Amino acid sequence: MNDRTGKQSQLFKLKVWGRNACFTRPEMKVERVSYDVMTPAAARGVLEAILWKPAIRWHITQIDVLKPIKWESVRRNEVGAVMSPRTSGLFIEDERQQRAGLLLRDVAYNVHAYFEMTEWAGVVDNLAKFEEMFQRRARKGQCFHRPYLGCREFAADFAPVNGDMPTPIDESRNLGWILYDMDFSGKEPMPRFFHAKLEKGSVKVPAFDSKEVRG
């Protein structure tokens, strides 16, 4: 699948897991409601927390669901205003709002991904250099910031998958249209979506520029 003679790296497999996750549906304006599975954007965020440079761009090809999809309903206190630097302050008790959330509980995924070299790659940048960097950092648990599962309060653990692959759940269903990622090519970032299907516990992710991905 990958163009080893060009600008694409080998295919990496990373296991990601955590206590809770919330891959928020954008159509829910106030209450946080998660998609059933991890989105490609969230998976890219985890990979970029481990290794990101201007010279590389991550692409997700598949997400395996390793644990049964379980839900948890919570109520949280949130601050309903953003403090401006032009104001003297913000009294939190006046802006506190209680909101409901429908989260995923006890999640684990296998993320299949590769990166490609970008136009920002320098003369000393090459595939082997960044492949080795990612493998080393993933193996040692190194990251630029703690990866998270949709929301920053839901920290993610991770480990590279070497050898036998964990088995996805035995479940298939139509997941409908879910967020793929943001498109930053225009003047304003725009969301892009794709029709996701869970087949034997795996979601195949089309290429970002394919006809299956729509704005």
Side-chain angles (χ1 to χ4, degrees), residues 141-190:
Q142 295 176 325
C143 49
F144 297 122
H145 61 81
R146 183 68 186 267
Y148 54 89
L149 298 165
C151 297
R152 287 189 179 274
E153 59 263 48
F154 303 139
D157 295 308
F158 62 89
V161 178
N162 299 312
D164 295 338
M165 285 283 293
T167 305
I169 61 174
D170 185 16
E171 183 176 343
S172 300
R173 60 168 137 147
N174 188 346
L175 299 174
W177 289 89
I178 72 172
L179 178 68
Y180 190 116
D181 210 331
M182 301 298 290
D183 183 359
F184 297 96
S185 60
K187 292 183 179 179
E188 298 287 339
M190 297 296 293

Side-chain angles (χ1 to χ4, degrees), residues 24-32 99:
T24 307
R25 290 178 174 272
E27 65 269 27
M28 303 298 181
K29 300 296 184 182
V30 178
E31 312 293 354
R32 289 187 183 275
R99 293 177 177 172

Side-chain angles (χ1 to χ4, degrees), residues 99-110:
R99 293 177 177 172
L102 187 58
L103 317 176
L104 294 167
R105 177 165 57 89
D106 191 20
V107 300
Y109 305 98
N110 261 347

Side-chain angles (χ1 to χ4, degrees), residues 187-205:
K187 292 183 179 179
E188 298 287 339
M190 297 296 293
R192 305 276 288 174
F193 299 85
F194 76 109
H195 196 174
K197 295 180 180 177
L198 186 67
E199 297 180 343
K200 296 287 185 182
S202 298
V203 178
K204 300 288 186 183
V205 182

